[in-house]
Amino acid sequence: MTTEATEATEVRAAAARVVAAVAGGESLDAALPREAARVVARDRALLAELCYGTLRWYPRLTAILDRLLARPLKSRDGDLRALLATALYQLEHTRIPPHAVVHETVAACRALAKPWATGLVNALLRNAQRRRPQLDAALAEDLAYRSAHPPWLARLLAADWPREAEAVMVANNARAPMTLRINQRRTDRAAYLELLAAAGIEARPATHSAAGILLGSPRAVAELPGFAAGLVSVQDEAAQLCAPLLAPGQRLLDACCAPGGKTGHLLELAPDGAELVAIDNSRQRLALVADNLDRLGLQARLLDADAGAPETWWDGTPFDRILLDAPCSATGVLRRHPDIKLLRRAGDIAKLAAAQRRLLLALWELLAPGGLLLYATCSVLCAENDAVVATLTAARADARPLPLPGIPGAATAAGRQWLPGTDDNDGFYYALLEKR
Ligand SMILES: C[S@@+](CC[C@H](N)C(=O)[O-])C[C@H]1O[C@@H](n2cnc3c(N)ncnc32)[C@H](O)[C@@H]1O
């Protein structure tokens, strides 16, 4: 066998290990780099494609798999289940010739030290191709198969967004564009679009963010003109709409700041002399904020602390602007983080909402009269959005939600929900609260 055949097999085995790790609870961001280091450089893009694609369609692929397996695989064979899911992904969603998919997947059983499974894998993949129309009919009513979402999430989306849920799930299964935000302290959008054109990079201005640029296809940041010099950052358009809602402020708090996307934007828009305190309770992630600000040539006071326990870090001087970009289910960014489909559980939502309420109620006390607090999440679930804000407005008569006419999406009781996909955007929720 040639080296090339071996490499093609290795990349399938590596993809299976990544998908099995995610199915076991590890994030894709943690699992993928580990396996990428084990395959040859030219196969890393294929490895990422196999992992992202398989996870994107995982609920559907495993629904098919469960129909095809005569008996469930043992729990110690999670890698084999993941290998079969990656093979079904290739058969269903790529142009890789089916005979190559079957051949490499069978060979990958040996690379995973499971030679006993070659016959089973070969038969199952041939069956999958032969029985495609019957499988489609048999699974037509299966929610996981139809939506490629975990059933609990598909049901929650349908309850919260009865008219839009189908389109939201289609958008969640699409690939996300790469979107840039220009650093208006260093360049302007027209000038940067010219730099991109000169570098042969196709791009267009974003529709709603004055600083936004959508690339025709994703690139490594090192290929972007002036990236290291802080001319641009990578940030979805929906996220870019937060900082302008808080400009201009003199004393700002970014309460859950890492990795610093919005910290940088707040500072790019802040007037000279403005002060920004940026907090995160993950020291590791706070280091990313420092790196981002260094690259952009911006400064903030970074604190590794619990934003919900201000008595441990606050000096008592109120803030006139607060951003609470709360930790959330990330159900608005499934297309960028398809591993969330496997990692989140139905029970997480109530726990996240409790943490969000705690943060919002605590931070409200730090806001100066007349000040603004933006509560934002990349969730599309009402329990994490309007319902959280309703807790504050019920408890505090001085909290008044402001209208958000410049923000796209649906007006909700307290803010606005931009659902994923309408403008090739992530899903995002915004509620701007004024302290009377
Ligand atoms: C949605 S992310 C923030 C994204 C960030 N604003 C940006 O634009 O790059 C939420 C962050 O909240 C942090 N976090 C969670 N609980 C926290 C707490 N109690 N206090 C401070 N930070 C917290 C997490 O570590 C995570 O980095």
Side-chain angles (χ1 to χ4, degrees), residues 255-278:
C256 291
C257 69
K262 298 177 196 76
T263 320
H265 200 192
L266 286 166
L267 288 166
E268 286 163 12
L269 300 180
D272 287 340
E275 281 172 41
L276 189 144
V277 177

Side-chain angles (χ1 to χ4, degrees), residues 57 211 220 263 276 279 385 403 422:
W57 295 101
T263 320
L276 189 144
I279 297 185
N385 295 334
T422 45

Side-chain angles (χ1 to χ4, degrees), residues 255-262 280-282 285 305-307 325-327 358-359:
C256 291
C257 69
K262 298 177 196 76
D280 206 278
N281 68 352
S282 157
R285 284 170 62 79
D306 174 4
D325 187 20
R358 171 181 170 268
L359 285 165

